[in-house]
Amino acid sequence: MGPNLSTVISEKDLQKRIKEMGETLTDKFKNTSVLAVCVLKGSFIFFADLIRQIECDMNCEFLCMSSYGSLAHSSGEVKLIMDLNSSVQGRHVLLVEDIIDTGLTMNYLQKVLEIRKPKSVTTVTLLHKPDAKKVDCKIDLVGFKIPNDFVVGYGLDYQNQYRHLPYIARLENLN
Ligand code: IMP
Ligand code: MG
């Protein structure tokens, strides 16, 4: 039997929450120049929707993180496979993640960025699984807290599938 999808967050609820998050970030960054950083691959859809809800002076940058392996759990080892094209020194950085699970990816990224002396780092994640936490990381704004289940859609994948779904779904019957 193949995996089953059951909706966890509808397209409508996603868009409503992202609009609110954009308003919160607009309040924070109104008169600021921001370097918005998309953490590929999973964040690409959330990033595209979120930045269009933020009114401020903004540059966009992309980096790509990967954890080894492609199973439905973190391997515990993360690597930076594509770095930013511009310096973060002295910049207000807005780091945009799809999901914080164990926290390992975000913990690593925050360390990598901190060394480069940004003026500030604000971390935003669409999804957060508080029960999966293994290491600390600073999270400033969360879209939705979710239980410790594997989810896909809206950029998130299972073996590079399901990223195109406009909603978040739980993947059931995974081996
Ligand atoms: P962490 O390092 O354990 O916090 O996991 C971060 C990365 O693992 C995310 O950026 C995702 O790529 C992936 N990940 C964690 N949980 C899920 C999930 O439920 N669905 C899809 N990808 C996930
Ligand atoms: Mg990811």
Side-chain angles (χ1 to χ4, degrees):
M1 199 167 54
N4 259 344
L5 293 172
S6 74
T7 304
V8 176
I9 308 168
S10 70
E11 180 172 9
K12 189 162 163 262
D13 289 348
L14 282 172
Q15 295 307 327
K16 182 166 171 263
R17 179 67 185 126
I18 291 166
K19 196 161 187 289
E20 285 173 7
M21 295 172 87
E23 282 162 13
T24 302
L25 294 167
T26 297
D27 285 344
K28 178 165 186 169
F29 292 125
K30 244 181 323 232
N31 301 310
T32 314
S33 183
V34 172
L35 181 66
V37 174
C38 175
V39 183
L40 296 170
K41 296 177 189 171
S43 303
F44 75 114
I45 297 179
F46 173 49
F47 184 80
D49 282 346
L50 181 68
I51 60 172
R52 285 180 285 177
Q53 301 294 333
I54 306 172
E55 289 169 40
C56 71
D57 180 36
M58 183 186 288
N59 294 121
C60 294
E61 270 293 345
F62 303 84
L63 59 77
C64 189
M65 294 293 299
S66 173
S67 51
Y68 293 90
S70 59
L71 299 174
H73 52 80
S74 296
S75 62
E77 272 184 90
V78 292
K79 56 180 171 175
L80 182 62
I81 56 178
M82 184 187 87
D83 205 341
L84 300 170
N85 258 330
S86 59
S87 168
V88 303
Q89 191 173 2
R91 308 291 310 271
H92 291 287
V93 175
L94 175 64
L95 198 53
V96 181
E97 250 291 28
D98 52 351
I99 185 163
I100 297 179
D101 184 33
T102 62
L104 283 161
T105 304
M106 197 39 87
N107 175 287
Y108 175 88
L109 258 185
Q110 287 174 345
K111 281 185 194 152
V112 166
L113 289 181
E114 227 32 78
I115 295 167
R116 303 177 187 181
K117 306 245 179 299
K119 205 174 242 173
S120 68
V121 178
T122 300
T123 301
V124 175
T125 185
L126 178 64
L127 305 175
H128 180 33
K129 294 182 188 172
D131 297 339
K133 178 177 150 179
K134 281 191 188 152
V135 296
D136 282 322
C137 60
K138 181 177 91 75
I139 313 172
D140 299 287
L141 183 61
V142 174
F144 300 88
K145 283 187 185 163
I146 60 166
N148 203 358
D149 297 322
F150 197 80
V151 292
V152 295
Y154 200 68
L156 290 122
D157 74 306
Y158 174 66
Q159 297 185 342
N160 231 355
Q161 280 184 77
Y162 310 109
R163 293 193 197 274
H164 66 294
L165 300 177
Y167 53 89
I168 300 283
R170 189 170 46 235
L171 201 54
E172 287 156 355
N173 312 325
L174 270 186
N175 302 310

